[in-house]
Every structure is written in C-alpha cells, then in structure tokens.
Amino acid sequence: LPSALLAATGVLVAYRVAARVWGQNAGIVAGIVLVTCSEWWHAGTETQVDMTLAFFVTAACWYFDFLYHERDFGLLKALGLPLLLALATLAKGPIGLALPGFIFFVYLCFRRDFGFLQKLHPFLGGLAFLVTAGSWYAAALWRGGPAFFLRQIVDENLRTATGSYGHYQPIYYYLLVFLENSLPWSFFIPAIAVFIYHRRRRLEEERLLFHLVWLFSVLIFFSASLGKRGVYILPIYPAFALLCGACWQRLGENTSR
C-alpha cells in the first residue's frame, strides 16, 4: 500500500509541477510518461522501500527547485527541505541525503551560487534533520547495536558502493536500464536532445537546467557505484518525465521545431 500510494502521488505531483512551470499540456504528458515507465510501475507494486525513497528524493528535488526560483521565503518554508530529506533518509539510510545533496551541489556549481545555501538556514535545517532522522537511527543503534550498524549502514551503503556487497554490474549498466525502462519514450530522446540544444543558452530561464542536472547526476552517482540494481535509479524517471512534458508544451505552442 505505501508503494502504490506514493507511486500514484508521485505521478500527480509530476503533473502539478510540470503544469505550474510550463503549462497544462506539459503536466499531462509528464504524468503519462512517468506512470508508463515500467520501473516506476514495477516499484509501485512491490513491498520494498525503493518507491518510498524515490518519492521523497523526488519531492525534495522539486521543493529545492521551487525554493531556488522563489528566492524570497521564510524559515518555515526552508525547513520543509530538511524534513523531506529526513524522510528520504528514514526510507533507506544515508542515500536519502547523499543523492539529493549531490544533485543540489552539481546544480549550484553550474549556477555558481553557493550563497543560496545561507537562505536555507543551514544550522536550523541541520538540527531539524537530526531530530527527525537522527533520533530514529540513534534508537535503532541503541536497540540493534553493532549488527544494525553493519547491516544498515556498512553493507547497504558502503559495501554496495565498493561492489563487495550486492550486485556487481559494469559502468554502463544504468544507461541501458534507463533506455529500456523508459520505453517507448526513450525513442524520443534524440528529439529532446535537439530541443535542449536549441535552448542551451537559456536553460535556466526556461527551468530546464535543474532537471537536466538531476537526470545526469543520478546516472553518474549510481554508475560510480560497483554494486548496481535497476531500481536504484528510480528517482531519474520524474526528471525525464518533466523534460518530456516541457518539450511537448513548446511544440504545442509552435515555439520549437
């Protein structure tokens, strides 16, 4: 039930975000693309934590994007981001913080705007994160002891990354997985690439840059890990769905070839 509800909610949120940023048609297409990506559907019908993780990572990414472009926001809005990151961390461990953190870092590098972090109230945000996620991990460590730490933190994260635990796959594995699991929409990737190329000088202005960074950051982040499973890149599909929606919206407006 949690996987199904969060998968469905993710589709509805994708629709709402794309419609708000680019227009109604973008929202409809983004929702259709996401719900028909086979990996999203599959993870939404399994009793595993991957959909929970993907949903909160996705929600954190969209929330960060809206905060960045809103600029003028107060403390309460800023604290929403560490809360979402904490929920992602509770879903599957430190990866819930590391993955979106990597996406934010790469995006701010492109923007050369690390001053934005000050607006997020990092001290209070870090405290909110620790209270929400850290308290549970402290209790779990107290009850579970070293066995919990070795299984949840070391095995699931560090040893998976080094390939000594989990499923070893070659570095190009996720590229093939993404192309297969996003069928039939992956056939349109060349057209989307042309669409983005023509807008290369105004990617930020048209709100495309963050979703591009998001997509490629997820691929790079998990491809660097030696242990790989197709479901790990689940957070990539919402970003791809929104790029499809943006392209379709501009085609409908006759502002793109």
Side-chain angles (χ1 to χ4, degrees):
L1 182 61
S3 294
L5 287 177
L6 292 175
T9 304
V11 172
L12 295 175
V13 175
Y15 160 76
R16 184 69 185 95
V17 170
R20 178 176 174 179
V21 175
W22 296 294
Q24 184 77 8
N25 288 338
I28 293 172
V29 170
I32 291 173
V33 169
L34 183 57
V35 79
T36 52
C37 282
S38 60
E39 190 66 63
W40 191 266
W41 186 274
H42 182 69
T45 54
E46 282 208 336
T47 52
Q48 294 185 352
V49 298
D50 297 285
M51 179 53 72
T52 306
L53 171 68
F55 175 82
F56 286 113
V57 166
T58 296
C61 287
W62 279 331
Y63 195 74
F64 175 88
D65 184 46
F66 277 114
L67 287 180
Y68 185 85
H69 290 94
E70 184 174 334
R71 286 292 179 169
D72 187 21
F73 53 86
L75 174 61
L76 287 179
K77 280 191 175 181
L79 290 179
L81 184 60
L83 177 60
L84 290 170
L85 293 174
L87 292 172
T89 303
L90 286 171
K92 203 176 180 180
I95 191 69
L97 176 64
L99 177 58
F102 180 66
I103 295 169
F104 304 160
F105 174 77
V106 174
Y107 177 71
L108 292 176
C109 282
F110 274 102
R111 298 292 297 149
R112 298 179 182 178
D113 189 13
F114 285 98
F116 173 72
L117 295 176
Q118 291 298 323
K119 297 184 178 182
L120 296 176
H121 303 275
F123 176 76
L124 291 176
L127 185 61
F129 176 87
L130 288 175
V131 168
T132 306
S135 58
W136 184 89
Y137 275 94
L141 185 60
W142 176 64
R143 288 295 301 271
F148 164 79
F149 181 81
L150 290 172
R151 177 71 175 86
Q152 178 71 14
I153 307 300
V154 177
D155 288 349
E156 289 287 346
N157 293 273
L158 300 179
R159 290 184 62 202
T160 295
T162 60
S164 58
Y165 181 84
H167 308 268
Y168 174 81
Q169 298 290 349
I171 194 169
Y172 56 81
Y173 172 75
Y174 283 126
L175 180 59
L176 301 179
V177 167
F178 170 65
L179 293 176
E180 178 183 354
N181 289 339
S182 57
L183 285 170
W185 315 112
S186 51
F187 285 118
F188 295 93
I189 288 178
I192 296 172
V194 172
F195 164 77
I196 291 170
Y197 175 77
H198 283 299
R199 284 164 165 73
R200 64 191 181 279
R201 301 188 187 281
R202 53 182 191 276
L203 290 176
E204 177 62 21
E205 178 186 339
E206 297 204 19
R207 299 284 292 274
L208 297 169
L209 179 61
F210 180 75
H211 292 87
L212 276 174
V213 168
W214 175 353
L215 190 151
F216 283 104
S217 294
V218 173
L219 275 179
I220 293 170
F221 184 92
F222 285 111
S223 294
S225 172
L226 296 180
K228 299 178 175 69
R229 289 179 60 220
V231 74
Y232 289 172
I233 62 165
L234 198 57
I236 205 174
Y237 300 103
F240 175 66
L242 261 69
L243 289 173
C244 290
C247 180
W248 187 270
Q249 180 75 28
R250 294 296 180 258
L251 287 171
E253 295 170 352
N254 293 320
T255 56
S256 180
R257 286 189 275 177

